[in-house]
């Protein structure tokens, strides 16, 4: 990225900006290997601003973020991850798959300079939210949009995130002391990437899975 300012600069040539967005989307990686560099406040603030520009059902803006820097809290989250990860290992019966699974690094909780826990708070029921009459899941989908914006902004600025969902979510909530009603979306390990995994998903690089060549689309 030549100039990380483009996100907040509407005066740029729009075709050039569109190309940069495509590049940023394809360069974004789920990162589990970080350098020890701190994440500058301006980088984090710009990523939060991008998250807050996400679409949200009925303009509910239901995302809630908890920034984790305390090593003791990170240790609790890491122990939480380990317990769930161990159970997942027990589910694998195919020995070859098990060996690949065990070789995968699926979090960077302790070494990422900071973590961002993301929660979804449904608004008070007495307020009508436009768009949730079909399903209230739309609140969580809004939070997923915010996470993607956050992730892309970090990528554009030369940083990255790794999404950790392998957690006991009830324990996760109590470890972070958030209100009982908040719905956990996951924990993002944030920092400067130590690798781009040769430009492909790490799970593909490690031969766990393969990204399909095109999306599934039906035309009616
Ligand atoms: C909702 C969600 C949860 C995820 N949870 C984890 C996780 O717990 N651990 C992990 O290593 N990767 C996790 N990932 C990352 C995916 O494995 C990754 O996005 C996928 O392999 C494609 O790689 P890429 O993001 O680099 O394109 C998660 C991704 C999403 C969207």
């Amino acid at each position: 990225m030549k100039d990380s300012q483009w996100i907040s600069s509407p005066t740029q040539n729009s075709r050039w900006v569109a190309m940069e967005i495509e590049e940023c989307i394809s360069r974004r990686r789920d990162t589990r290997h970080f350098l020890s560099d701190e994440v500058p406040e301006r980088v984090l603030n710009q990523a939060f601003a991008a998250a807050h520009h996400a679409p949200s059902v009925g303009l509910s803006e239901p995302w809630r973020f908890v920034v984790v820097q305390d090593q003791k809290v990170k240790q609790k989250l890491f122990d939480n991850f380990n317990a769930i990860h161990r159970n997942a290992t027990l589910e694998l019966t195919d020995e070859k798959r098990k060996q690949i699974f065990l070789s995968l690094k699926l979090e960077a909780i302790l070494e990422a300079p900071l973590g961002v826990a993301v929660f979804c708070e449904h608004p008070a029921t007495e307020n009508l939210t436009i768009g949730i009459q079909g399903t209230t899941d739309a609140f969580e989908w809004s939070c997923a949009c915010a996470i993607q914006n956050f992730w892309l902004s970090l990528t554009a600025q030369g940083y990255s995130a790794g999404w950790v969902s392998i957690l006991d979510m009830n324990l996760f909530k109590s470890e972070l002391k958030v209100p009982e009603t908040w719905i956990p979306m996951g924990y993002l390990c944030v920092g400067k990437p130590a690798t781009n995994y040769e430009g492909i998903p790490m799970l593909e690089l490690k031969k766990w899975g393969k990204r399909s060549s095109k999306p599934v689309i039906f035309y009616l």
Side-chain angles (χ1 to χ4, degrees):
M1 202 67 44
K2 289 163 219 111
D3 174 9
S4 63
Q5 293 303 309
W6 61 266
I7 281 183
S8 51
S9 170
T11 56
Q12 302 268 7
N13 175 296
S14 61
R15 255 179 78 192
W16 180 78
V17 170
M19 273 168 47
E20 296 291 316
I21 288 170
E22 296 300 333
E23 189 193 333
C24 184
I25 289 170
S26 63
R27 273 203 299 130
R28 181 210 54 78
R29 287 275 72 78
D30 188 275
T31 304
R32 297 89 163 178
H33 299 84
F34 291 98
L35 301 175
S36 57
D37 305 34
E38 289 301 309
V39 181
E41 211 179 317
R42 67 174 164 76
V43 170
L44 192 61
N45 285 344
Q46 186 156 333
F48 278 132
H52 200 59
H53 272 97
S56 66
V57 67
L59 196 57
S60 55
E61 301 174 345
W63 37 78
R64 307 288 177 259
F65 304 104
V66 179
V67 178
V68 179
Q69 284 167 306
D70 186 323
Q71 209 59 26
K72 284 199 203 101
V73 177
K74 285 183 184 175
Q75 185 63 54
K76 281 187 193 168
L77 299 177
F78 181 66
D79 295 344
N80 179 340
F81 164 87
N82 262 335
I84 299 293
H85 184 255
R86 212 173 301 123
N87 286 343
T89 314
L90 298 176
E91 280 175 33
L92 282 165
T93 47
D94 181 306
E95 198 48 43
K96 201 169 157 214
R97 291 286 283 169
K98 195 174 192 163
Q99 287 317 313
I100 300 177
F101 182 76
L102 288 171
S103 75
L104 300 171
K105 180 166 165 53
L106 299 176
E107 54 69 47
I109 298 169
L110 292 177
E111 62 275 27
L114 59 89
V116 176
V118 187
F119 296 90
C120 178
E121 182 177 25
H122 288 207
T125 46
E126 61 267 20
N127 300 325
L128 173 80
T129 303
I130 296 170
I132 55 127
Q133 287 65 39
T135 172
T136 57
D137 289 354
F139 291 122
E140 283 91 300
W141 300 338
S142 306
C143 293
C145 292
I147 292 173
Q148 179 73 345
N149 272 12
F150 182 78
W151 208 340
L152 289 174
S153 172
L154 287 173
T155 305
Q157 299 183 78
Y159 290 78
S160 190
W163 191 329
V164 183
S165 56
I166 306 167
L167 293 164
D168 174 327
M169 290 297 179
N170 284 327
L171 187 59
F172 178 58
K173 270 171 40 170
S174 68
E175 284 165 343
L176 295 178
K177 301 185 173 61
V178 300
E180 190 49 43
T181 51
W182 287 15
I183 298 156
M185 298 295 300
Y187 181 78
L188 306 173
C189 303
V190 177
K192 214 175 213 340
T195 169
N196 76 344
Y197 307 107
E198 299 177 24
I200 58 174
M202 189 200 78
L203 296 190
E204 184 167 0
L205 188 67
K206 297 280 184 182
K207 305 202 177 341
W208 175 261
K210 192 162 167 34
R211 189 171 42 181
S212 48
S213 58
K214 50 184 187 331
V216 177
I217 307 172
F218 298 99
Y219 296 92
L220 296 177

